Amino acid sequence: MHPGISPQEVLMKGSEMWGAMVDEEKVVWQEAARTAMADYKNKLEKWNTHKEQSEKTTQTDETVDRSA
């Protein structure tokens, strides 16, 4: 939060600053974004794999409980 400045004003100022940057300055931010996205996708894939394994275990447990 920026006291006295609306979120729209912050967005506009950031957009102006980005537009004023030369490509060489943007590279640092673009690479950081690429790295963050790769990390996010890796963590999401691990989470989804864990979730699928957990669901399979739950389904197996329910099948065992019903037949008991």
Side-chain angles (χ1 to χ4, degrees):
M1 275 292 184
H2 297 278
I5 302 174
S6 72
Q8 293 82 6
E9 291 172 313
V10 172
L11 178 61
M12 287 175 53
K13 183 62 177 174
S15 179
E16 289 172 13
M17 292 171 67
W18 182 259
M21 294 173 100
V22 295
D23 289 343
E24 291 79 20
E25 293 174 311
K26 292 179 181 180
V27 168
V28 174
W29 299 103
Q30 291 166 335
E31 293 205 6
R34 256 191 298 281
T35 300
M37 181 58 77
D39 185 46
Y40 164 77
K41 286 181 178 181
N42 185 29
K43 288 179 181 179
L44 180 62
E45 185 177 333
K46 286 180 182 178
W47 185 83
N48 283 330
T49 300
H50 175 73
K51 182 180 173 191
E52 289 171 5
Q53 290 173 347
S54 178
E55 288 173 351
K56 286 179 184 178
T57 302
T58 301
Q59 290 172 354
T60 303
D61 290 346
E62 289 175 357
T63 304
V64 171
D65 288 346
R66 289 182 186 161
S67 63

